[in-house]
Amino acid sequence: MAVVLDLLNKDQRPRHPEKAHRPDQPVQQRKPEWIRVKAPGSPKWAETNRIVRENKLVTVCEEAGCPNIGECWEKKHATFMIMGDTCTRACAFCNVKTGLPQALDPNEPESVAKAVEKLGLEHVVITSVDRDDLADGGAQHFADVIHAIRARSPKTTIEILTPDFLRKPGALEIVVAAKPDVFNHNLETVPSKYLKVRPGARYFHSIRLLQQVKELDPTIFTKSGIMVGLGEERNEVLQLMDDLRSADVDFMTIGQYLQPTKKHHPVIRFVTPDEFKAYETTAYAKGFLLVSSTPLTRSSHHAGEDFAKLKAARLAKLG
């Protein structure tokens, strides 16, 4: 199917052109009480918003419609999304817009570093859109952002949430050489759901990517996360945990999938807090250093506090 993009009248261009002609999915049922969050708008939230705007930055907090934006921005925590706001892939769960991205902004690494400095962040999370159009998938840009932050804020710890760099030889090595403190790459869902939920990715490539990070630099913490409520079976989640542990992944996150629009994958069910707690207990038993498993868990939620817990858990393990 061909999709015509209206490049002259950008205000009318659909956010997800590849989904525009798909039939509407069932509207998710009323959210249960444990999903409710406070609306943003505090003075500290406004200050974070101002700094983001002044530096012309993109945050995944906004682009992905994260339910925790009010809490995080009030604490001056923001996850910066680099390489633009347009993704080359069209995952069925994601609200980041898709299409043909613009060229990379060479000033972006310094802009991100300035914002980190102004916010006084002890820990920062950097993610990106998928850039399959670039020869290295944006690996060097990730490295440039890491170096720029280190130059301005040498005490700030850096967590990155990367795409899979599929079919980009040498890309991972460039990012790992920049020595982020935490390397996160999300599996997003169990392998049986990839065709519908994450069609542009390959499950075992993502597992291998995480394993290679440890092979290249064992000192870097590795992290991965999934959403539940997409129709997965419990046994599939448990097998996924084993696959992550086989790649020596340190930290696993599990959160409830929420449907961004009627054109996205429907919520099959809302997983109860007790089930999330059971997943957490099982994951710890399988050997993860840290597990975050709650309905509102997201990859970068409480990332700073979690990094401190990761370091403490590693020290305790080493004895």
Side-chain angles (χ1 to χ4, degrees):
M1 179 183 73
V3 177
V4 179
L5 303 181
D6 182 0
L7 299 179
L8 297 178
N9 197 352
K10 292 185 179 180
D11 289 341
Q12 296 182 15
R13 176 184 174 182
R15 185 175 180 86
H16 305 286
E18 81 296 336
K19 297 182 177 74
H21 302 295
R22 291 182 185 175
D24 288 354
Q25 297 297 319
V27 178
Q28 63 191 44
Q29 62 267 42
R30 182 178 173 84
K31 293 184 181 72
E33 287 297 324
W34 61 80
I35 293 292
R36 309 293 170 81
V37 293
K38 184 178 72 172
S42 71
K44 289 183 179 179
W45 176 91
E47 174 67 7
T48 301
N49 183 56
R50 181 184 65 78
I51 292 171
V52 168
R53 298 288 167 266
E54 284 180 354
N55 289 276
K56 298 179 180 179
L57 299 172
V58 179
T59 69
V60 75
C61 321
E62 297 169 287
E63 294 299 317
C66 180
N68 301 314
I69 187 171
E71 176 191 350
C72 291
W73 282 31
E74 187 170 344
K75 296 177 180 177
K76 290 194 173 181
H77 294 173
T79 298
F80 298 109
M81 191 169 77
I82 61 174
M83 296 191 276
D85 63 356
T86 304
C87 187
T88 55
R89 296 192 192 175
C91 296
F93 65 88
C94 185
N95 200 37
V96 174
K97 69 180 180 181
T98 57
L100 182 63
Q102 295 182 349
L104 293 179
D105 176 4
N107 298 317
E108 185 174 52
E110 187 61 22
S111 295
V112 172
K114 285 180 181 177
V116 170
E117 185 179 35
K118 287 180 181 178
L119 287 165
L121 299 183
E122 294 180 2
H123 185 84
V124 63
V125 182
I126 307 295
T127 188
S128 78
V129 291
D130 271 288
R131 292 297 302 260
D132 294 317
D133 59 311
L134 300 174
D136 67 351
Q140 186 59 56
H141 202 72
F142 260 106
D144 291 344
V145 171
I146 293 170
H147 294 317
I149 294 171
R150 294 263 191 247
R152 279 188 172 267
S153 305
K155 293 183 179 179
T156 299
T157 50
I158 301 172
E159 178 172 330
I160 58 171
L161 171 54
T162 77
D164 58 17
F165 302 117
L166 190 62
R167 303 183 187 92
K168 309 293 181 184
L172 180 64
E173 288 80 356
I174 293 171
V175 179
V176 172
K179 294 190 75 67
D181 297 282
V182 181
F183 189 108
N184 184 6
H185 171 65
N186 285 334
L187 295 180
E188 307 294 5
T189 187
V190 299
S192 69
K193 298 298 174 187
Y194 263 52
L195 187 60
K196 287 188 175 181
V197 175
R198 199 178 175 220
R202 299 295 178 267
Y203 176 81
F204 286 107
H205 172 81
S206 289
I207 292 287
R208 177 60 182 147
L209 184 86
L210 290 159
Q211 184 179 38
Q212 284 181 296
V213 174
K214 283 294 190 185
E215 291 172 355
L216 291 166
D217 189 341
T219 67
I220 295 175
F221 289 104
T222 50
K223 177 178 176 181
S224 188
I226 62 167
M227 303 165 289
V228 290
L230 286 159
E232 70 290 330
E233 298 291 335
R234 176 177 170 78
N235 283 344
E236 292 182 293
V237 176
L238 301 187
Q239 180 61 59
L240 179 146
M241 291 179 185
D242 288 336
D243 293 340
L244 287 176
R245 286 303 302 134
S246 72
D248 201 21
V249 170
D250 300 301
F251 183 7
M252 182 180 185
T253 61
I254 307 173
Q256 171 69 50
Y257 167 65
L258 298 176
Q259 183 181 4
T261 74
K262 294 178 181 179
K263 299 297 183 181
H264 287 77
H265 194 291
V267 174
I268 304 303
R269 75 183 186 98
F270 287 105
V271 178
T272 67
D274 285 346
E275 290 175 274
F276 277 103
K277 185 63 179 176
Y279 279 138
E280 178 189 293
T281 301
T282 302
Y284 272 123
K286 290 179 180 293
F288 289 97
L289 289 181
L290 191 63
V291 182
S292 179
S293 177
T294 71
L296 288 172
T297 288
R298 295 297 183 266
S299 292
S300 55
H301 194 209
H302 299 152
E305 296 95 321
D306 287 340
F307 180 67
K309 293 176 184 176
L310 265 177
K311 290 192 295 183
R314 175 180 281 176
L315 288 173
K317 185 177 180 180
L318 294 175

